[in-house]
Amino acid sequence: MQQRIYPQQWHNQHIYPALDCPELEADMSLARANLAELAGFIDGLEQVLGNTDALPDFLREVRLRAQRIRNIGWNVAILAACKGSQDARDVLAKQLASRARALNADLFKTLAPVEDLMLGLPEPEFERLMQDPLLGEEDYRLRHERRLQDQRLPVEAEQLVIGLGTDGLHGWGNLYNDLVGKIRLVIDGREMGLAEASNLLSSPIRALRREAFDAISTGWEGEQETVAAILNALNGWRLELSRQRGKQRVLDALDLSCHQSHIERTTLDTLMAETYNARGLGQRALGLMARQLGITDPGPEDLFAPPPAASSREIPFEEAIEIIAAAFARFDPEMGEFARMMAEKGWIDAAPTPNRRTGAYCTKFAEPVEPRVFITYAGTMDNVITLAHELGHAWHNGLIRDLPMSQRSYPMTLAETASIFAETLVRSALFEQAQTPEQQQAIAWAEADGAATFLVNIPARFDFEQALVTARGQGYVSAQRLKTMTDEAWGRWYEGSLVRYHPLFWAAKAHFSIAGLGFYNYPYLFGYLFSLGVYQQLMSRQAAGETNVAEAYRALLRDTGRMSAEDLVAKHLGQDIREAAFWQGSMALVAAAVDRFEQTCG
């Protein structure tokens, strides 16, 4: 039977036919009108304070009105982001993204008095309101935020922070995205953007990898002062805001990051300590890969090199979808069908385009609740695993689409659990189905590469960002100092497993320039090790004859937006992630994977 050809560009016309269509303009005008009405309605808040009968009705009405406005702002922002990912130079996408950010910021400014009320209510009154079915949908979110009530500024100041952040804080993040679309490189005689160039880092030809790496580094070298300004502005903003908030209790950047990640600081400290103890596993994996490639001087250009047997194997997009769907279906048939549905409906954008942004991600529209996946697909095994990763996010979003919006928002730590679990399903299925030693090594290689990435590269990013935040608290951090800090962080984790490091990694890695979230690194490590623990437990239960394993996994994912990571693990796995034993159990699985890879090396 002939294999189906899937679209490789998004089909978003049913959201809005175009960025400048009348339907979108009408919705934006409606949202603005509704926002003005909501602001007038909230002006009556003081009149219902203390009235136990009128206040719940008032708050319900606020929530319903706000949701309608937020859905429009959310959809428009996502549509603009999708178009901007395809073409970072698209002027209309930039303009629309700015309008959507302004609408969302104005909505949150308008809601600030209500949010301030809910976060500051005495506990008995708060408990009473949470008994209401509609208001209680935000129970977990509000309880979580009430822990930082002493960090709240007066309402007018909170509104000012939100308003200034639209073109201030977020403007710097947008500038970085503009740089990604602007940089053009010439590699192997061809002009290309950063996204296409990044795929060449997975080439089986070392000379081409090195040429791509050098070209990318040169491209960022020319923009290093701009990126240094971006990192200084983002971290300076966060530090100053933290100082302003810390009048009663001072919280450092990691305390605030843990709050955003819905984990305790003890959990993070334990995770990083155990990872440092196990860093040799990742270094060993790097050494084995270099030996197989015949490389005696491994450098950063070799970190994404494919196994030797993969040199001539290009995997078509349609085959990648089938590989992923079949692997998902072995665990949960509906998960496999979901992956095919994503491809059939044009919800995956994979085809290279000019001025395309780098990286891969999963996002979602608010109404209808539909996920979207972005990747620049070039047919490598690394691309297949990345696609599985993003489809794992999409499955997560699909499972919770019927929940209230506040419960569809989950922390990054738990988000990465779903994606890396999906990777593990695909790798395990491919290894079992491999018919030749070369095929087995290709899959074992991917597992070893994961060990090197998560146990060495991700922690090096974390160390670098810690150093950046500390240094920024003392003054402006120069581009040269950023290079030095990168080398120091890589030296601490890679040690002698590489002969040279990547001093411009801070510029080339977009994660450091994300405006809305600092420390966009350790959640990947958390998700990697946590997902391995989940995978082992669920597979053991499946092998023992349990028939509800897929349902148990779904239940875990559905709780990710309504409880902390510690509570989630205690409820669904019966374990304590604050203790070293949990992470050591996952490290044992990583060690087994590296051993398996070494066996395939002969």
Side-chain angles (χ1 to χ4, degrees):
M1 183 168 53
Q2 187 175 8
Q3 194 170 50
R4 177 165 183 181
I5 303 300
Y6 294 120
Q8 291 190 48
Q9 289 191 327
W10 280 313
H11 288 178
N12 292 332
Q13 290 81 358
H14 64 292
I15 305 295
Y16 291 111
L19 296 187
D20 55 355
C21 68
E23 295 91 335
L24 189 152
E25 288 301 324
D27 275 356
M28 288 293 281
S29 296
L30 176 64
R32 279 293 176 186
N34 288 346
L35 183 58
E37 293 175 3
L38 177 61
F41 185 77
I42 289 177
D43 285 342
L45 176 60
E46 290 188 7
Q47 299 173 18
V48 297
L49 289 178
N51 187 329
T52 56
D53 295 324
L55 183 58
D57 290 339
F58 180 90
L59 293 173
R60 279 193 294 269
E61 183 65 19
V62 167
R63 191 167 186 274
L64 291 172
R65 292 190 187 197
Q67 189 63 62
R68 290 191 289 269
I69 299 167
R70 191 177 184 195
N71 282 348
I72 293 173
W74 185 296
N75 274 9
V76 171
I78 295 301
L79 191 69
C82 286
K83 186 61 177 175
S85 294
Q86 294 170 316
D87 181 0
R89 296 187 181 184
D90 191 295
V91 174
L92 187 56
K94 293 178 184 179
Q95 293 172 344
L96 193 60
S98 178
R99 292 173 61 195
R101 282 193 301 273
L103 173 63
N104 290 327
D106 288 346
L107 173 60
F108 287 117
K109 284 192 292 184
T110 300
L111 292 173
V114 177
E115 183 79 354
D116 192 68
L117 168 71
M118 297 303 292
L119 297 184
L121 278 174
E123 190 63 24
E125 191 171 353
F126 177 78
E127 289 282 358
R128 201 159 43 244
L129 287 172
M130 290 301 98
Q131 299 308 307
D132 180 90
L134 181 61
L135 301 179
E137 290 178 353
E138 293 209 79
D139 190 339
Y140 172 69
R141 183 191 76 81
L142 289 169
R143 288 185 192 280
H144 185 69
E145 295 306 320
R146 280 165 67 89
R147 296 175 186 171
L148 295 190
Q149 172 57 18
D150 62 354
Q151 303 294 302
R152 294 279 293 179
L153 300 171
V155 171
E156 294 79 5
E158 291 289 348
Q159 292 171 321
L160 183 63
V161 169
I162 295 169
L164 292 177
T166 304
D167 292 316
L169 177 71
H170 294 283
W172 290 103
N174 296 331
L175 175 58
Y176 182 88
N177 292 334
D178 289 345
L179 291 180
V180 170
K182 167 189 171 185
I183 295 174
R184 304 295 295 174
L185 312 170
V186 176
I187 303 172
D188 196 27
R190 293 190 299 116
E191 182 180 297
M192 63 187 71
L194 282 169
E196 190 175 356
S198 295
N199 268 329
L200 295 180
L201 296 175
S202 298
S203 169
I205 304 170
R206 193 185 191 205
L208 183 56
R209 292 199 306 272
R210 184 60 187 263
E211 185 183 356
F213 178 81
D214 288 345
I216 291 169
S217 296
T218 299
W220 283 115
E221 186 84 32
E223 302 293 347
Q224 62 177 317
E225 297 300 336
T226 303
V227 183
I230 290 170
L231 294 184
N232 276 276
L234 292 176
N235 287 281
W237 176 289
R238 293 171 187 147
L239 287 166
E240 178 58 29
L241 183 58
S242 181
R243 279 192 288 268
Q244 294 299 323
R245 293 189 184 282
K247 305 300 184 184
Q248 300 180 48
R249 176 171 59 118
V250 177
L251 298 178
D252 68 22
L254 277 182
D255 289 328
L256 293 170
S257 177
C258 287
H259 179 79
Q260 285 181 309
S261 295
H262 295 234
I263 62 173
E264 297 177 16
R265 182 66 178 267
T266 302
T267 297
L268 176 59
D269 291 343
T270 303
L271 168 66
M272 296 312 302
E274 291 306 313
T275 302
Y276 189 73
N277 291 338
R279 69 193 185 283
L281 286 173
Q283 295 172 2
R284 179 177 153 218
L286 285 169
L288 290 168
M289 290 189 285
R291 190 181 77 189
Q292 287 300 105
L293 291 170
I295 294 174
T296 58
D297 60 338
E301 72 273 17
D302 301 312
L303 292 177
F304 301 104
S311 58
S312 61
R313 174 74 168 114
E314 183 174 316
I315 305 166
F317 180 73
E318 287 73 19
E319 184 180 342
I321 293 295
E322 188 53 39
I323 288 171
I324 293 166
F328 286 2
R330 285 173 27 136
F331 176 70
D332 185 339
E334 287 188 32
M335 189 177 178
E337 285 306 309
F338 182 87
R340 292 190 183 94
M341 179 271 294
M342 288 284 297
E344 289 167 356
K345 291 197 171 185
W347 291 358
I348 303 171
D349 197 275
T353 51
N355 311 315
R356 191 174 182 84
R357 65 156 284 180
T358 57
Y361 66 82
C362 177
T363 189
K364 56 183 178 288
F365 288 102
E367 187 60 40
V369 183
E370 295 175 357
R372 295 291 188 274
V373 162
F374 178 85
I375 181 175
T376 303
Y377 189 81
T380 67
M381 179 57 72
D382 184 60
N383 286 161
V384 175
I385 298 301
T386 300
L387 182 56
H389 179 106
E390 301 305 338
L391 286 170
H393 282 306
W395 173 241
H396 189 180
N397 288 326
L399 284 175
I400 60 176
R401 63 187 179 276
D402 61 317
L403 296 179
M405 180 173 276
S406 62
Q407 296 177 25
R408 301 200 305 262
S409 178
Y410 42 77
M412 191 181 161
T413 40
L414 299 179
E416 293 311 320
T417 299
S419 55
I420 298 170
F421 185 90
E423 287 186 37
T424 306
L425 289 176
V426 172
R427 287 195 185 106
S428 297
L430 287 173
F431 190 84
E432 291 177 22
Q433 295 163 9
Q435 297 177 351
T436 67
E438 291 78 13
Q439 290 173 344
Q440 283 191 331
Q441 186 182 80
I443 305 309
W445 183 287
E447 290 184 322
D449 182 61
T453 297
F454 290 111
L455 300 189
V456 183
N457 188 273
I458 297 293
R461 300 182 203 180
F462 176 74
D463 263 18
F464 163 79
E465 192 160 1
Q466 279 189 296
L468 168 60
V469 172
T470 299
R472 184 63 185 91
Q474 300 164 358
Y476 191 89
V477 188
S478 68
Q480 185 56 50
R481 178 64 183 132
L482 290 167
K483 292 179 182 179
T484 301
M485 290 193 301
T486 300
D487 276 345
E488 290 170 350
W490 279 49
R492 174 171 159 81
W493 289 89
Y494 280 100
E495 296 177 299
S497 60
L498 294 180
V499 299
R500 56 189 171 276
Y501 304 137
H502 187 352
L504 275 164
F505 188 74
W506 55 272
K509 194 64 184 176
H511 289 175
F512 298 122
S513 295
I514 293 175
L517 191 68
F519 289 99
Y520 202 92
N521 36 59
Y522 71 79
Y524 284 98
L525 172 61
F526 181 103
Y528 171 64
L529 295 174
F530 178 45
S531 68
L532 288 179
V534 172
Y535 180 82
Q536 181 190 44
Q537 188 170 122
L538 293 181
M539 292 302 104
S540 296
R541 288 162 58 179
Q542 194 172 63
E546 289 192 29
T547 58
N548 64 340
V549 174
E551 289 78 5
Y553 178 60
R554 294 186 194 188
L556 183 151
L557 292 184
R558 282 178 65 83
D559 275 343
T560 50
R562 49 194 183 193
M563 60 179 58
S564 70
E566 288 81 12
D567 289 344
L568 185 82
V569 175
K571 174 181 176 180
H572 292 280
L573 301 181
Q575 298 186 50
D576 188 347
I577 59 175
R578 292 163 293 201
E579 298 293 332
F582 176 86
W583 304 108
Q584 290 167 355
S586 293
M587 294 297 183
L589 298 177
V590 180
V594 176
D595 287 344
R596 183 163 55 245
F597 175 56
E598 186 169 24
Q599 291 167 9
T600 69
C601 294

